[in-house]
């Protein structure tokens, strides 16, 4: 799962959202330095990643790209899945995607001192290009994948995966929809346990 899904799966607690969003840059027990709810967000993020990586539906999506994109096929599917979440946002939330995105960007700004350096460095690009809303269109997704290429020094030309997305669009969307129902239940249980 990518950024949008991680935020959506965090529930209503703002600090859990922040922790879930910036968890990738936090190693080992370093999470213990943060506010208890941010710690919960980091723990939730790790649980989401573990669940996702082992799930047969996610693996099926990833396998379709593996020959061409190798290790990055999982990263690409994370982004594809955010596309389907954004595109079908009204199926999952009564609040508009635009409002959720704007509120989250403001949340990051108002808690700037809490954020990791990695998150602070990424924020201006994410907000300027409105990543969450951009996920909803193929054009926006293409732009995000192109930026990912730049960040990974163009190791595998991830932006080219738009070809596979279009070719297998209905398969990817069906896989996302089935997978997302399962991960939502998993996260609800995990949040209740935290």
């Amino acid at each position: 799962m990518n950024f949008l899904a991680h935020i959506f799966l965090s529930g209503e607690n703002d600090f859990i959202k922040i922790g879930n969003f910036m968890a990738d840059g936090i190693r080992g027990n370093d999470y213990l330095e943060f506010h208890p709810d941010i710690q919960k967000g980091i723990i939730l993020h790790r649980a989401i990643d573990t669940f996702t990586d082992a799930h047969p539906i996610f693996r099926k999506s990833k396998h379709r790209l593996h020959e061409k994109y190798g290790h990055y096929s999982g990263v690409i599917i994370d982004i594809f899945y955010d596309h389907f979440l954004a595109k079908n946002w009204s199926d999952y939330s009564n609040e508009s995607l635009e409002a959720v995105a704007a509120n989250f960007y403001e949340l990051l700004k108002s808690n700037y001192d809490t954020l990791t350096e990695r998150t602070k460095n990424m924020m201006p690009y994410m907000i300027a290009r409105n990543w969450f809303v951009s996920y909803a269109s193929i054009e926006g997704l293409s732009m995000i994948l192109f930026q990912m290429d730049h960040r990974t020094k163009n190791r595998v030309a991830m932006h080219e995966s738009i070809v596979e997305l279009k070719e297998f669009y209905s398969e990817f969307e069906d896989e996302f929809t089935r997978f997302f129902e399962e991960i939502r239940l998993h996260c609800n249980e995990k949040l209740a346990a935290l």
Side-chain angles (χ1 to χ4, degrees):
M1 299 276 88
N2 206 44
F3 295 129
L4 181 60
H6 275 287
I7 300 312
F8 178 83
L9 294 167
S10 294
E12 299 302 316
N13 183 304
D14 287 343
F15 282 131
I16 290 178
K17 289 178 187 177
I18 290 171
N20 199 341
F21 178 74
M22 66 182 189
D24 273 335
I26 300 165
R27 301 289 169 234
N29 287 335
D30 291 350
Y31 77 97
L32 295 171
E33 299 168 11
F34 294 93
H35 181 282
D37 283 343
I38 291 179
Q39 291 179 28
K40 289 177 184 177
I42 295 164
I43 292 165
L44 178 64
H45 181 106
R46 292 174 179 178
I48 290 168
D49 284 355
T50 300
F51 182 88
T52 300
D53 291 344
H55 200 284
I57 295 175
F58 183 84
R59 285 173 172 255
K60 183 177 182 180
S61 292
K62 191 168 90 166
H63 182 73
R64 204 174 280 122
L65 301 179
H66 194 267
E67 187 176 333
K68 184 172 179 184
Y69 302 99
H71 165 74
Y72 290 97
S73 59
V75 175
I76 295 166
I77 295 300
D78 282 344
I79 294 168
F80 283 7
Y81 278 18
D82 260 14
H83 163 67
F84 291 114
L85 176 57
K87 176 190 161 229
N88 299 302
W89 185 260
S90 62
D91 293 342
Y92 299 103
S93 177
N94 294 324
E95 193 175 1
S96 75
L97 179 57
E98 292 77 10
V100 168
N103 289 338
F104 184 70
Y105 303 152
E106 286 304 314
L107 176 67
L108 292 180
K109 289 177 189 174
S110 63
N111 290 279
Y112 188 80
D113 292 340
T114 308
L115 306 177
T116 61
E117 287 306 310
R118 178 178 173 174
T119 305
K120 289 176 183 176
N121 292 336
M122 180 177 56
M123 245 177 73
Y125 302 101
M126 181 182 74
I127 294 170
R129 295 191 170 93
N130 200 355
W131 286 358
F132 288 1
V133 174
S134 294
Y135 286 131
S137 70
I138 298 283
E139 298 74 23
L141 198 64
S142 187
M143 178 261 304
I144 289 165
L145 287 164
F146 190 80
Q147 289 175 326
M148 292 292 292
D149 283 334
H150 181 72
R151 285 174 52 197
T152 60
K153 298 181 176 40
N154 209 27
R155 289 191 187 110
V156 294
M158 283 186 270
H159 70 278
E160 293 178 5
S161 65
I162 292 295
V163 172
E164 286 84 3
L165 175 65
K166 289 178 178 176
E167 183 179 354
F168 299 104
Y169 197 86
S170 60
E171 290 91 340
F172 282 128
E173 186 164 21
D174 176 64
E175 287 157 8
F176 162 77
T177 303
R178 290 186 292 123
F179 172 77
F180 204 63
E181 285 309 307
E182 293 190 33
I183 199 163
R184 286 175 73 188
L185 289 172
H186 177 72
C187 288
N188 288 341
E189 291 169 4
K190 187 72 181 173
L191 281 167
L194 290 172

